[in-house]
Amino acid sequence: TAPLGSTVGTGQSIRRMLPTPSEQMEQYSELEKRFRQSQGTDKPLTDQEALQRLREMKPVNPNMTNPLAPKRDNASDARPGGTGAPPAAAPGGTGTAPGAPAAAPGGARAEPLAIKSLATGVRSKTLAQVLTSAEDQMRQGKYADALNQYTLAEQAAPNNGLITLGRANAELGSSSYRTAESHLRQAYGSNGALLLGRYDLRSMIGADRLTAVTKDLTDLSAKEQKETMAPFLLAYISFNTGDAATAEKYLDEVDRRAGAPDPLVKQMRQLWAAGDAGSRNK
């Protein structure tokens, strides 16, 4: 039998050690394909490009680690503020991972991909079961149990922004709005392709609970008129329940309250508006 190294290149070996999100999930792969088309660059990464991207990639959730990242001897690097600590995605910044291009004008209009469950098309049976369990727990109103499942999923796939997005959905359901916003920013900042998903929040969170959350956030937005959190989350809910026009109004409100353009909001507006236009023109 030939040695492994004689048949598999270094890039391929590394990618098998830590599969890219597109290799983990068929839906993620389709999102990236649509994103490349929207940028006018419909070409997948080479093994060498994927290897470099994996080595540089920071985990979507800062509490996780990248097993392929260079080891650091200086313990201070692992502390908050140290040079090795992954930056948290803050309002006004996208935290975009290396290799994830920003939204750009041009390219083909990309219609959003309807995603009913994050577990659909997951190649690992175990990971699929964990994600299915998390969504089942959310529908039963057991959001703490759902968050535990997403923690397990993140440990298995720390580079997968869709799992972080699933965590944000559970936090929305549990009224943990500040952390939900933070994790949505982390997820979208990890790869703009995730903005081309239209996630079935009524199915994932539960229709009744989503209605209550929307009312709660609407009240918060009216009460705390300098805060950007509520309109940001309402934009997310509006787009993913099929109301792109209202989502755009909430994004405008985020920028108005922030007093300066938010790069992530700009990307959300570009991709959501283009996708919605593509859907209407069909």
Side-chain angles (χ1 to χ4, degrees):
T1 304
L4 179 64
S6 67
T7 58
V8 179
T10 303
Q12 292 173 314
S13 298
I14 293 291
R15 291 166 77 178
R16 287 180 182 178
M17 290 169 58
L18 180 64
T20 65
S22 284
E23 291 170 334
Q24 297 163 12
M25 295 178 168
E26 293 175 6
Q27 292 183 127
Y28 201 114
S29 178
E30 178 61 26
L31 289 171
E32 288 205 318
K33 177 182 177 181
R34 295 185 186 206
F35 186 64
R36 290 193 302 268
Q37 290 172 343
S38 75
Q39 305 300 299
T41 56
D42 189 15
K43 184 177 69 172
L45 295 177
T46 65
D47 278 349
Q48 184 176 2
E49 290 169 337
L51 171 60
Q52 183 62 25
R53 180 169 173 179
L54 281 173
R55 283 174 170 167
E56 294 176 350
M57 183 178 290
K58 294 179 175 62
V60 179
N61 186 334
N63 294 324
M64 301 298 163
T65 58
N66 180 355
L68 299 183
K71 303 298 181 185
R72 296 180 182 273
D73 295 328
N74 190 343
S76 67
D77 284 350
R79 295 197 297 267
T83 57
T94 64
T96 305
R109 282 176 172 166
E111 183 177 355
L113 175 66
I115 296 181
K116 189 172 183 63
S117 167
L118 298 184
T120 301
V122 174
R123 293 182 170 91
S124 163
K125 183 177 179 180
T126 301
L127 182 57
Q129 289 173 339
V130 170
L131 293 174
T132 298
S133 175
E135 292 174 3
D136 287 344
Q137 299 287 359
M138 279 197 286
R139 283 188 286 269
Q140 296 173 44
K142 300 177 181 178
Y143 300 105
D145 292 338
L147 288 168
N148 288 336
Q149 293 300 301
Y150 284 120
T151 296
L152 291 175
E154 284 179 323
Q155 290 170 349
N159 58 343
N160 194 318
L162 277 180
I163 295 172
T164 305
L165 186 143
R167 170 179 288 279
N169 289 339
E171 289 163 343
L172 264 181
S174 66
S175 301
S176 300
Y177 299 138
R178 190 69 65 185
T179 51
E181 180 201 16
S182 177
H183 284 134
L184 278 176
R185 285 181 175 273
Q186 288 174 14
Y188 283 152
S190 73
N191 193 336
L194 273 57
L195 287 164
L196 288 174
R198 181 162 265 153
Y199 306 95
D200 189 345
L201 299 182
R202 292 189 181 94
S203 174
M204 294 178 183
I205 297 175
D208 291 343
R209 182 57 189 156
L210 186 63
T211 298
V213 165
T214 302
K215 182 182 184 305
D216 195 15
L217 287 170
T218 302
D219 292 344
L220 277 173
S221 182
K223 181 179 179 181
E224 302 174 0
Q225 297 191 11
K226 293 184 179 180
E227 286 281 344
T228 61
M229 178 194 69
F232 182 89
L233 293 175
L234 286 166
Y236 172 73
I237 292 171
S238 297
F239 177 77
N240 286 291
T241 52
D243 191 349
T246 298
E248 185 171 2
K249 291 178 182 177
Y250 281 125
L251 293 177
D252 290 342
E253 183 65 13
V254 171
D255 277 345
R256 187 190 70 77
R257 294 184 182 193
D262 181 326
L264 177 57
V265 167
K266 178 181 178 181
Q267 189 177 36
M268 294 165 78
R269 185 181 289 110
Q270 287 175 335
L271 290 173
W272 287 355
D276 188 58
S279 299
R280 289 197 310 266
N281 292 335
K282 281 202 162 189

